[in-house]
């Protein structure tokens, strides 16, 4: 049974990042597993990238190609539709997740498929496809090993690339023994993989319909591709007679040639390899080879909103490599679930609130789930300036609260403090007055040379850090004492 | 009632209204300053290919083209292959005597069960990419349809030296005609299948052939 | 060259010794420093927290106060980062082309201290003396936004008597992140824990950096742990000489 935990895309309210992060920070197994995993991939990625003398040029080409595509997305969408149709495929358009789910379920039903096999696709997680199919009496079998694991465990993914990173081998062994009816099983990874292989093989050979996502689709030729490691992508896109692919509209690239850029950027950024084990590029249908019926479902579900925001638009450059997750000091410690979204980490912090909309739910807290260190921007293969978008979205969140939040928004303590401080900084006399007032006002808090507890919302600081008191003399007071009241030396 | 298609296109156009009406996609410059071709000597490129394929835990042998039947025979024997899947247009003489072949032809395709129960598959390829140790199949000559190299557990692949290119962009350039004119499916294979989903331990072989063996065939005797 | 000191609201109020040290250091190197008293705050805190409308007047004020100088020096990577990298965005948001033009002129003249010393004055040995074991934490803004590179380390290594030790995993964020330290205190503290661990592993006596914001965070944590390790701003180390041996 599939359980898709309510998240930002489920339509309801979600908790704030600060709350869920507090819980996951205390999960020692997660901290250990995730810390080790991200450190490992980080180092490997650095090696893979260092080998490339033209890495920065590839990044720039990637960014430019995405910019070109997004600025003319309508034209490219139409070209893609034409190319795929010419090649014998069918193109469907879905305004939102619900619509996409209905289209896909409809195709499965029309072929009498009670079971479908799926390749990992975050887009289908976004739309909650599995849940919808189940409601229609169609069972969707996840075939990525990690997706299989979390599906059996009734959990949700915690990492874009390694979804079961939070599970260790003995937990996986338990799971397989219980849910797959295996009697005797070691927790040795190869043995675990063998069990999955046999179980899924049967499904692949029987399935009438395969469902996948897509990494890229070329407008010029209609060529779609799936980039993977295990081979289940090849299975799902080759064996079943019918293939349905769900793809976000932002995944289009202009020409066949442009693959030469993205197929260099993606493997080194994601699994830190020169090339991932398997990539399949297919164009519509090929006679006598693979599915004879191919459907591409183009998904909007908020992407046009992201597109409309001139600063936020770059978010759609994303090729889902997860390099940003692996370098993020926040993600490394809180894990993916803390983001309450199928898109976690730095990219999730900017993509989720834009897809969902500002002022709707806890995803408003996501742009603040960052210290703005910029490590993500450094590694993004398509040069998304994530810190810039984070700051931009924080602005949208604040303005929404101020303009649409009514009295509650205006009286928000943070807002009040910020307004006051802005006023203080706007005039020298106010500023200097405030400096003096703070110095005087701190005396109840400062004892024995340190401030041990700040009041109210600022208590978070003194929970773990000592604070030294405000000094007796400000810099400008000293300057004046040296130089008189003038500006020069 | 607007269709979903019309609605989405309308949204996209509205979202990009900041783009000047007369701007063409080509007006957005894309600097392709990255390496397009490897100018290293041929034998260096071939050697790099051999090394990098081997790094993925595939078995690699450099052989003389004239010795192919013998090399194939020895490989199959080492592996204990008795039922070998071959595409119908596999070059004559590649398959040695004494091996039962299951020929997959357009008019008489092997069933999935037959493929699954075979001991292995022998094919040629379209290209090799030295930079990444990748074998490229384009469902063309000597390769057959995709399922052939997917279901059997052992894939023996012959790569001719002159099929090996240096860099990734060279491969895409070479494949362009085929994709545009015939729309055949392309498969990139870089090592046997692998997963790192269990505690990040790289485990070979979940789906797809768990053993990949490569014979790099050249004109002269290898060192 | 008319050089102005942008001391930053933070240093002005909480770390005046850093401002004093900066002035002493520059004067020792023969630079006449001016301090326009009308300066208050660059607006980073507001801007980065999302109060961008409120930050715009502060941006204007900064530009007005400093635009007539040939160079503006600040002992703060994050504030300089705000001016150089985000002021253009602020001007765009304000829809003010005139402001954008003034920002474009001013921004390249605003320097973080180590950039100014090594890049502009082309000096790495500032004649300092500091007989302590010191490790250096590269703050994220100076590292990734300003890309000061190894300027701070070059300056430190040239200090007489110093025992310089590299900080392990130096590039990792300390977890301060401005209001992040308060809004996401738990995560901030988790990140701080690892930074403290690396600092302690160096067995240094002093941890230094170009930003007092990060140092306040790291120093506050060290103090809470009674680690016996201090934080001192880069300017204060470089200003120190035999005549003024600091405790």
């Amino acid at each position: 049974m599939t359980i898709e935990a309510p998240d930002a895309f489920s339509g309801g309210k979600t908790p704030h990042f600060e709350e869920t992060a507090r819980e996951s920070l205390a999960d020692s197994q997660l901290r250990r597993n995730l810390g080790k995993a991200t450190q490992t991939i980080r180092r490997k990625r650095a090696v893979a990238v260092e080998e490339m003398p033209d890495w920065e040029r590839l990044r720039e080409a990637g960014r430019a190609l995405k910019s070109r595509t997004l600025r003319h997305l309508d034209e490219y969408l139409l070209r893609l539709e034409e190319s795929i149709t010419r090649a014998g495929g069918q193109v469907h358009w879905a305004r939102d997740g619900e619509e996409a789910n209905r289209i896909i379920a409809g195709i499965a039903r029309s072929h009498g498929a009670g079971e479908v096999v799926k390749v990992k696709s975050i887009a289908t997680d976004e739309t909650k496809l599995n849940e919808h199919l189940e409601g229609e009496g169609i069972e969707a079998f996840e075939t990525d090993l990690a997706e299989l694991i979390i599906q059996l465990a009734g959990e949700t993914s915690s990492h874009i690339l390694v979804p079961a990173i939070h599970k260790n081998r003995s937990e996986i062994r338990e799971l397989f023994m219980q849910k797959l009816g295996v009697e005797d099983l070691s927790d040795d990874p190869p043995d675990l993989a063998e069990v999955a292989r046999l179980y899924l093989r049967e499904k692949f050979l029987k399935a009438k319909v395969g469902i996948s996502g897509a990494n890229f689709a070329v407008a010029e030729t209609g060529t779609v591709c799936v980039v993977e490691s295990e081979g289940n992508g090849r299975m799902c896109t080759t064996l079943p007679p019918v293939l349905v692919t769900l793809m976000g509209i932002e995944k289009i690239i202009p020409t066949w040639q442009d693959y030469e850029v993205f197929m260099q950027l993606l493997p080194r950024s994601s699994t830190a390899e020169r090339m991932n084990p398997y990539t399949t590029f297919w164009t519509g249908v090929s006679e006598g080879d693979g599915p004879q019926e191919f459907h591409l479902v183009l998904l909007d579900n908020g992407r046009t909103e992201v597109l409309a925001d001139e600063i936020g638009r770059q978010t759609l450059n994303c090729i889902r490599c997860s390099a940003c997750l692996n370098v993020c000091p926040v993600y490394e410690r809180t894990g993916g679930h803390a983001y309450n979204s199928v898109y976690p980490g730095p990219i999730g912090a900017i993509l989720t609130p834009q897809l969902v909309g500002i002022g709707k739910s806890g995803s408003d807290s996501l742009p603040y789930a960052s210290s703005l260190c910029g490590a993500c921007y450094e590694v993004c293969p398509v040069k998304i300036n994530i810190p810039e978008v984070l700051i931009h979205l924080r602005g949208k969140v604040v303005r929404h609260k101020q303009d649409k939040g009514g009295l509650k928004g205006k009286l928000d303590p943070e807002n009040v403090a910020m307004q006051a401080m802005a006023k203080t900084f706007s005039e020298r006399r106010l500023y200097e007055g405030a400096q003096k007032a703070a110095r005087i006002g701190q005396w109840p808090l400062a004892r024995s040379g340190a401030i041990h507890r700040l009041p109210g919302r600022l208590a978070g600081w003194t929970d773990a850090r000592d604070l030294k008191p405000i000094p007796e003399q400000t810099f400008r007071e000293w300057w004046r004492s040296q130089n008189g009241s003038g500006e020069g030396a | 009632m607007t269709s979903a298609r019309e609605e989405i296109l309308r949204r996209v156009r509205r979202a990009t209204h900041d783009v000047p009406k007369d701007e063409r996609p080509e007006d957005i410059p894309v600097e392709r300053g990255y390496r397009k071709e490897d100018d290293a000597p041929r034998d260096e490129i071939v050697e790099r290919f051999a090394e990098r394929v081997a790094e993925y835990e595939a078995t690699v042998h450099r052989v003389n083209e004239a010795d192919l039947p013998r090399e194939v025979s020895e490989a199959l024997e080492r592996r204990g292959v008795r039922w070998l899947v071959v595409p119908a247009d596999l070059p004559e003489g590649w398959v040695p005597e004494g091996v039962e072949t299951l020929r997959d032809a357009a008019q008489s395709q092997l069933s999935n069960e037959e493929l699954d129960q075979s001991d292995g598959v022998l094919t040629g390829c379209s290209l090799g990419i030295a930079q990444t140790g990748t074998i490229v199949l384009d469902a063309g000559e000597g390769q057959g349809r995709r399922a052939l190299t997917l279901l059997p557990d052992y894939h023996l692949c012959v790569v001719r030296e002159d099929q090996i290119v240096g860099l990734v962009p060279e491969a895409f350039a070479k494949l362009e005609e085929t994709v545009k004119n015939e729309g055949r499916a392309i498969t990139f294979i870089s090592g046997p299948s692998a997963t790192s989903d269990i505690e990040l331990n790289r485990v070979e072989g979940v789906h797809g052939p768990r053993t990949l063996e490569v014979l790099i065939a050249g004109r002269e005797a290898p060192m | 060259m008319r050089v102005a000191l942008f001391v930053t609201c933070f240093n002005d109020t909480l770390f005046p010794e850093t401002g004093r040290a900066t002035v002493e250091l520059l004067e020792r190197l023969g630079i006449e420093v001016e301090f326009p008293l009308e300066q208050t705050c660059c607006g980073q805190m507001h801007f980065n927290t999302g109060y961008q409308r409120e930050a715009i007047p502060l941006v204007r004020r900064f530009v007005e106060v400093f635009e007539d100088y040939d160079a503006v020096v600040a002992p703060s990577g994050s504030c300089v980062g705000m001016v150089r990298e985000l002021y253009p965005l602020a001007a765009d948001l304000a829809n003010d082309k005139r402001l954008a033009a003034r920002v474009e002129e001013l921004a390249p003249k605003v320097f973080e201290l180590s950039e100014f010393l090594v890049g502009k004055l082309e000096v790495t040995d500032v004649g300092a003396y500091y007989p302590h074991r010191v490790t250096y934490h590269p703050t994220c803004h100076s590292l990734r936004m300003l890309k000061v590179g190894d300027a701070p380390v070059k300056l430190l290594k040239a200090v007489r008597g110093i025992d310089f030790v590299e900080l392990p995993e130096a590039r990792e964020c300390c977890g301060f992140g401005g209001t992040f330290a308060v809004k996401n205190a738990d995560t901030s503290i988790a990140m701080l824990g690892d930074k403290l661990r690396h600092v302690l592993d160096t067995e240094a006596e002093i941890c230094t950096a170009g930003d007092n914001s990060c140092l306040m965070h790291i120093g506050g944590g060290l103090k809470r742990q009674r680690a016996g390790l201090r934080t001192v701003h880069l300017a204060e180390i470089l200003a120190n000489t035999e005549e003024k041996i600091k405790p």
Side-chain angles (χ1 to χ4, degrees), chain B residues 88-222:
Chain B
D89 62 350
L90 192 75
E92 282 300 318
W94 279 17
V95 185
E97 311 264 320
V99 177
E100 296 289 339
T101 54
L102 300 163
R103 294 189 93 79
D104 184 87
Q107 309 78 5
S108 58
Q109 290 192 337
L110 299 168
S111 71
N112 285 345
E113 283 65 37
E114 285 175 290
L115 290 173
D116 190 33
Q117 279 154 32
S118 70
D119 297 321
V121 60
L122 169 64
T123 70
C125 71
S126 167
L127 295 170
I129 309 176
Q131 183 188 19
T132 55
T134 301
I135 294 170
V136 179
L137 306 178
D138 69 0
E141 196 192 310
Q143 301 163 62
R145 62 194 170 96
R146 285 175 278 170
L148 298 193
T149 49
L150 179 57
L151 286 170
D153 211 4
Y154 167 74
H155 180 192
L156 179 60
C157 187
V158 177
V159 180
R160 286 194 329 264
E161 280 184 14
D162 60 46
Q163 289 179 308
I164 300 172
V165 300
L167 301 176
V168 168
E170 294 173 65
F172 281 102
K174 283 209 147 90
L175 292 164
E176 192 159 351
E177 284 302 301
T178 309
V179 170
K180 285 185 169 160
N181 298 342
E182 294 168 68
R184 290 202 306 262
I186 311 285
T187 310
F188 275 28
I189 297 173
S190 310
S193 86
T195 179
S196 304
D197 279 332
I198 300 173
E199 292 182 357
L200 269 196
N201 275 293
R202 189 175 208 260
V203 173
E204 263 70 40
V206 192
H207 313 286
R210 285 181 288 187
T211 306
L212 173 64
E213 190 162 353
V214 181
L215 300 177
I216 303 174
R219 285 288 149 82
E220 293 166 3

Side-chain angles (χ1 to χ4, degrees), chain A residues 107-175:
Chain A
I107 296 169
R109 245 202 332 270
S110 73
H111 289 276
E115 282 183 9
V116 298
V117 286
K118 275 187 75 200
V119 187
K120 147 109 146 262
S121 155
I122 315 179
T124 64
D125 294 336
E126 182 189 324
T127 66
K128 316 284 173 235
L129 175 67
N130 291 5
E131 220 167 65
H132 180 95
L133 289 175
E134 217 152 286
E136 304 275 317
I138 300 168
E139 219 180 332
F141 289 96
E142 293 291 351
T143 62
D144 282 64
L145 182 57
E147 295 290 330
L148 172 68
I149 291 169
I150 62 181
Q151 184 174 47
L152 293 175
E155 290 182 20
T156 56
S157 163
S158 69
H159 186 288
I160 283 177
L161 201 62
V162 204
I165 195 71
H166 56 291
K167 290 220 152 319
N168 67 31
R169 64 176 73 179
S170 49
E171 285 179 308
I172 295 170
R173 170 183 170 273
E174 289 283 323
L175 203 53

Side-chain angles (χ1 to χ4, degrees), chain C:
Chain C
M1 183 168 61
R2 277 187 76 210
V3 179
L5 170 70
F6 167 44
V7 75
T8 80
C9 64
F10 205 75
N11 288 327
D12 193 352
T13 317
L14 297 173
F15 297 95
E17 62 271 26
T18 298
R20 291 199 298 269
T22 307
V23 172
E24 277 169 30
L25 173 62
L26 291 174
E27 284 179 348
R28 186 167 84 221
L29 295 174
I31 304 285
E32 225 177 80
V33 182
E34 295 179 41
F35 180 71
L37 284 160
E38 285 298 317
Q39 64 183 274
T40 56
C41 171
C42 68
Q44 186 191 199
M45 180 185 64
H46 282 82
F47 197 82
N48 284 358
T49 310
Y51 293 84
Q52 284 140 21
R53 287 193 288 215
E54 291 77 1
I56 288 169
L58 300 178
V59 171
R60 285 188 206 285
R61 189 187 177 81
F62 183 95
V63 170
E64 203 164 294
V65 169
F66 287 107
E67 64 188 336
D68 288 333
Y69 290 93
D70 300 310
V72 181
V73 185
S76 167
S78 68
C79 301
V80 173
M82 172 68 197
V83 175
R84 292 229 296 262
E85 300 293 316
L86 292 174
Y87 267 24
L89 190 62
D92 268 353
L93 260 163
N95 234 320
D96 189 338
K97 289 209 163 41
R98 179 87 192 90
L99 179 62
R102 290 162 75 196
V103 163
E104 204 180 317
E105 266 231 34
L106 173 58
K109 299 191 288 186
V110 181
F111 301 93
E112 178 271 336
L113 181 63
S114 70
E115 286 186 307
F116 186 71
L117 294 170
V118 176
K120 198 94 170 102
L121 297 184
E122 293 182 5
V123 76
T124 43
D125 184 344
V126 299
Y129 173 71
Y130 201 74
H132 300 277
R133 187 169 166 89
V134 176
T135 191
Y136 171 74
H137 161 69
T139 61
C140 295
H141 281 120
S142 62
L143 180 66
R144 297 192 180 91
M145 247 193 176
L146 301 179
K147 298 192 175 41
V148 303
D150 60 358
V153 174
K154 277 196 171 122
L155 289 163
L156 285 166
K157 283 187 169 169
V159 172
R160 280 189 314 280
I162 203 169
D163 175 12
F164 179 81
V165 54
E166 296 278 351
L167 178 65
E169 309 297 335
R171 299 171 62 95
E172 297 207 352
C173 178
C174 69
F176 176 68
T179 47
F180 176 79
V182 171
K183 287 165 87 85
N184 269 291
D186 296 292
T187 311
S188 170
I189 291 167
M191 289 163 72
L192 176 63
D194 286 316
K195 180 60 69 174
L196 291 181
R197 174 165 59 90
H198 292 130
V199 170
L200 289 167
D201 279 347
T202 63
E203 297 183 341
E205 190 203 323
I206 313 274
C207 174
T208 188
D211 275 274
N212 274 321
S213 44
C214 303
L215 285 178
M216 191 169 82
H217 173 71
I218 294 171
L222 289 170
K223 219 101 194 261
R224 179 60 62 93
Q225 285 188 6
R226 312 293 189 249
L229 226 153
R230 289 185 297 129
T231 49
V232 177
H233 190 283
L234 179 67
E236 292 168 53
I237 292 179
L238 297 177
N240 200 61
T241 58
E242 280 88 344
E243 282 85 58
K244 291 177 50 188
I245 295 175
K246 285 229 181 275

Side-chain angles (χ1 to χ4, degrees), chain A residues 410-424:
Chain A
K410 294 204 169 39
L411 292 182
D412 173 61
E414 182 189 273
N415 186 45
V416 171
M418 286 297 195
Q419 298 300 329
M421 279 194 282
K423 189 91 180 72
T424 306

Side-chain angles (χ1 to χ4, degrees), chain A residues 279-297:
Chain A
T279 305
T280 306
F281 305 85
W282 73 95
T283 308
V285 297
S286 291
E287 205 183 305
D289 177 7
Q292 293 308 296
E293 196 176 309
F294 168 57
H295 301 261
L296 179 68
V297 182

Side-chain angles (χ1 to χ4, degrees), chain A residues 68-102:
Chain A
R68 173 186 280 181
T69 313
L70 293 170
R71 287 170 76 85
H72 300 274
L73 191 59
D74 56 335
E75 193 175 320
Y76 284 114
L77 279 166
L78 290 171
R79 269 195 228 172
L80 177 68
E81 181 185 51
E82 195 207 348
S83 306
I84 291 194
T85 310
R86 209 173 345 119
Q90 296 172 56
V91 175
H92 311 257
W93 302 68
R95 283 165 281 208
D96 57 31
E98 257 303 301
E99 189 162 25
N101 292 345
R102 280 199 306 270

